[in-house]
Amino acid sequence: LNVHEPAASSVCELIAEMLQYIIDPGDLLRVEASAMLAGIMLDTKSFALKTGSRTFEAAAYLRRAGADSVEVKRLFQNDMANYIARAELVKRAEFVDGIYAISASDQPVDRAVAAQAADDLMNITGVAGSFVLSPFGGAINISARSLGRVNVQLIMEKLGGGGNRSAAAVQFQQGETLKEAVSKIYAAIDDYFA
């Protein structure tokens, strides 16, 4: 079976749609329904991006199957150390041209925390694109986010990375300094608008 649906928010949405025609909601385990609802919520940023009526219909099916939205919320909780690290990244952000938030940490940061900080920066009024740079495992990582006004995929591709229009990333090889990575992101942003 090959399913290709560009309008779908996530694989979990597609699977939920298919399951509706195969099994009754009561035949799906509660933990399975909750995991698929978590996948939809993660991919749509809690139903904010790439969300259509079919996304909500799939979520409704999963709720009928016993998906627990409170349990899903618990899955996305962070421990205090990661929360503080994320807040530090947001706090140190610099704003470029009034629409880009760029944060660089000289301390190692878990990639998930950096990605969450990039998401958090998108909650600031006027920010069209966010970029969080941090060392991890001897390399420099950049997590980029957008709400669609800026195509961060194209910016990350200029640096050798990839992703999609609203979420992208790149990892520079070992030996690259944070200062060099910051210079490259500024140049890639300038090139994107040129």
Side-chain angles (χ1 to χ4, degrees), residues 5-190:
E5 177 54 65
S9 68
S10 67
V11 170
C12 292
E13 177 184 326
L14 291 173
I15 297 299
E17 281 185 348
M18 284 188 263
L19 288 176
Q20 290 179 67
Y21 300 106
I22 299 170
I23 62 174
D24 292 325
D27 293 337
L28 191 62
L29 295 177
R30 186 174 170 187
V31 68
E32 294 168 333
S34 293
M36 285 194 290
L37 181 60
I40 291 172
M41 290 181 69
L42 178 68
D43 290 340
T44 64
K45 305 273 187 253
S46 296
F47 300 99
L49 298 174
K50 298 189 296 183
T51 306
S53 60
R54 291 170 62 179
T55 309
F56 290 106
E57 289 169 9
Y61 167 77
L62 294 171
R63 287 287 288 147
R64 286 192 304 276
D68 184 352
S69 56
V70 174
E71 186 59 34
V72 169
K73 180 74 172 163
R74 283 191 193 109
L75 288 173
F76 294 124
Q77 286 182 320
N78 285 305
D79 63 24
M80 189 57 134
N82 284 343
Y83 187 83
I84 290 170
R86 195 168 92 203
E88 270 302 311
L89 287 167
V90 170
K91 181 176 140 183
R92 67 175 47 218
E94 295 179 6
F95 296 91
V96 179
D97 298 332
I99 62 169
Y100 295 109
I102 300 175
S103 177
S105 172
D106 52 358
Q107 298 299 313
V109 176
D110 184 77
R111 287 186 291 195
V113 171
Q116 291 168 347
D119 284 333
D120 287 348
L121 286 167
M122 292 309 304
N123 292 327
I124 298 171
T125 302
V127 172
S130 66
F131 305 88
V132 174
L133 296 85
S134 60
F136 185 77
I140 304 293
N141 298 314
I142 302 178
S143 288
R145 296 293 185 273
S146 167
L147 294 178
R149 204 166 101 197
V150 172
N151 189 336
V152 292
Q153 175 185 355
L154 295 178
I155 295 171
M156 292 295 99
E157 283 177 352
K158 291 178 185 302
L159 301 172
N164 62 53
R165 183 175 190 82
S166 59
V170 67
Q171 182 178 64
F172 292 118
Q173 298 302 321
Q174 293 184 346
E176 192 93 35
T177 68
L178 185 63
K179 187 175 182 178
E180 291 169 335
V182 169
S183 294
K184 286 183 176 183
I185 193 68
Y186 277 93
I189 290 169
D190 288 344

